[in-house]
Amino acid sequence: MAKTLIFGHKNPDTDTITSAIVYSYLKNQLGLETEAVRLGNVNGETQYALDTFKVEAPRLVEKVAGEASEVILVDHNERQQSADDIDQVRVTEVIDHHRIANFETAHPLYYRAEPVGCTATILNKLFKEKNVAVPKEIAGLMVSAIISDTLLLKSPTCTDEDVAAARELADIAGVNLETYGLEMLKAGADVSSKTVAELISLDAKEFQMGSHKVEIAQVNAVDVNDVLNRQTELEDALNNIISQKGLDLFVFVVTDILNNDSVALALGNAASSVETAYQVKLENNKAVLKGVVSRKSQIVPVLTETLSK
């Protein structure tokens, strides 16, 4: 039986990395030969979780067709966020919690998408449905993913299912949800050693919004000024990316994990769409987005609606 690769989106976050590991473990327990891989570097937050539960990061790959004919996608479905040669392999499964866009297959597949805050919440259900016990380290990775994607259960994307799963998995993992969660988020919010190139690529995704090509990057911080005091450098780098990729808009979002607000730095010929979408005024290319912390539910849908008119 040929090996199936399991991976999440480019510029992986904690949910992407851990979901690949977790689902590979489950599939292997069920008799399928799989390997978790990653399409980008591991960020500080994710490394904190991996180190805590003594799990190695998946190996890095750039393309997948040379290694496998079949793949499973977790935490994404949009083609531009996936492996560069995704069109050369057969996608047999998708486990995701995002919108469905720019995705089609030539063959039937198992597609599990639920409107919850985190892929790990869906995976927790799958363990129960398949009657497979969740080991301590796997539980630790899953609760880490839920903490990350829901900003410790404070994001508007967080559902009652995410809360229940997080508490259950924290018990199995042997960690205090609040204490561990805050330490993990702080580890990811330490931007002191990050270069500008790292900051804008840590968690960046491309989207097609109507006829517009958009990229949205998000970084968490304890103090947004730790990032924004490098605005000149950031703008130079973002303008280069806009030119290279032919983007209409790049929105760089700095989220305050303590106050649950964000500051958006918007560049490109469609930058005014941010003003229209949020009823704000960009000053020096920036605007405060009160109460906005989720790219998935509070940024992508709002901008998509504005840019599709």
Side-chain angles (χ1 to χ4, degrees):
M1 184 186 300
K3 179 173 63 177
T4 299
L5 297 182
I6 302 180
F7 51 88
H9 55 75
K10 295 175 180 176
N11 302 315
D13 56 14
T14 300
D15 190 24
T16 276
I17 294 289
T18 59
S19 289
I21 298 170
V22 168
Y23 200 41
S24 180
Y25 172 85
L26 176 58
K27 299 300 284 188
N28 291 347
Q29 292 297 302
L30 296 172
L32 183 68
E33 185 183 354
T34 70
E35 181 189 2
V37 294
R38 57 186 168 93
L39 302 182
N41 295 328
V42 176
N43 65 37
E45 176 191 278
T46 307
Q47 193 61 56
Y48 182 90
L50 294 171
D51 290 344
T52 298
F53 297 103
K54 298 179 174 56
V55 177
E56 289 189 14
R59 66 185 176 89
L60 175 67
V61 300
E62 294 184 357
K63 296 185 177 181
V64 296
E67 299 190 41
S69 59
E70 296 185 346
V71 302
I72 294 172
L73 309 185
V74 292
D75 197 35
H76 77 298
N77 66 83
E78 297 190 48
R79 183 175 300 274
Q80 70 274 13
Q81 297 174 10
S82 199
D84 291 338
D85 57 350
I86 192 67
D87 58 334
Q88 298 177 36
V89 293
R90 179 173 177 174
V91 178
T92 60
E93 296 186 38
V94 176
I95 313 294
D96 193 19
H97 67 126
H98 296 93
R99 72 175 192 173
I100 301 172
N102 304 320
F103 179 82
E104 62 180 25
T105 63
H107 304 88
L109 76 162
Y110 178 82
Y111 200 111
R112 181 80 170 254
E114 298 187 21
V116 292
C118 184
T119 308
T121 300
I122 306 171
L123 294 179
N124 191 45
K125 293 182 185 180
L126 286 170
F127 272 85
K128 294 176 180 179
E129 292 168 12
K130 300 299 182 182
N131 199 29
V132 175
V134 179
K136 178 178 179 177
E137 68 276 8
I138 294 296
L141 296 183
M142 284 198 281
V143 72
S144 298
I146 297 172
I147 290 166
S148 175
D149 266 16
T150 67
L151 273 183
L152 196 48
L153 312 181
K154 294 177 182 176
S155 169
T157 61
C158 186
T159 67
D160 290 343
E161 292 181 55
D162 297 297
V163 174
R167 290 174 176 165
E168 174 187 329
L169 293 164
D171 285 343
I172 297 172
V175 296
N176 178 282
L177 183 61
E178 294 291 332
T179 303
Y180 170 72
L182 188 56
E183 290 304 311
M184 189 193 80
L185 290 177
K186 284 182 177 178
D190 181 6
V191 298
S192 58
S193 63
K194 297 288 188 295
T195 66
V196 165
E198 288 172 330
L199 286 174
I200 61 179
S201 64
L202 277 173
D203 187 6
K205 292 183 179 180
E206 286 186 35
F207 301 91
Q208 191 68 37
M209 298 182 179
S211 61
H212 298 83
K213 189 176 181 182
V214 179
E215 186 159 342
I216 304 172
Q218 186 172 23
V219 62
N220 293 337
V222 174
D223 183 346
V224 297
N225 290 321
D226 289 343
V227 178
L228 295 174
N229 60 13
R230 303 163 75 177
Q231 184 173 345
T232 300
E233 291 179 81
L234 286 167
E235 290 190 0
D236 287 344
L238 295 181
N239 281 322
N240 283 335
I241 293 174
I242 289 170
S243 177
Q244 290 168 10
K245 294 186 176 182
L247 300 176
D248 297 293
L249 173 65
F250 197 122
V251 184
F252 180 67
V253 182
V254 187
T255 298
D256 186 327
I257 65 170
L258 299 182
N259 296 320
N260 294 325
D261 294 324
S262 294
V263 176
L265 175 62
L267 297 172
N269 57 39
S272 63
S273 63
V274 174
E275 297 182 317
T276 304
Y278 293 99
Q279 298 298 298
V280 296
K281 181 67 177 176
L282 289 172
E283 297 182 3
N284 192 24
N285 299 321
K286 295 180 300 185
V288 176
L289 306 182
K290 297 293 292 184
V292 172
V293 296
S294 170
R295 175 173 52 198
K296 183 180 74 170
S297 72
Q298 294 176 298
I299 299 177
V300 172
V302 179
L303 283 178
T304 298
E305 181 180 359
T306 300
L307 289 169
S308 297
K309 291 179 180 178

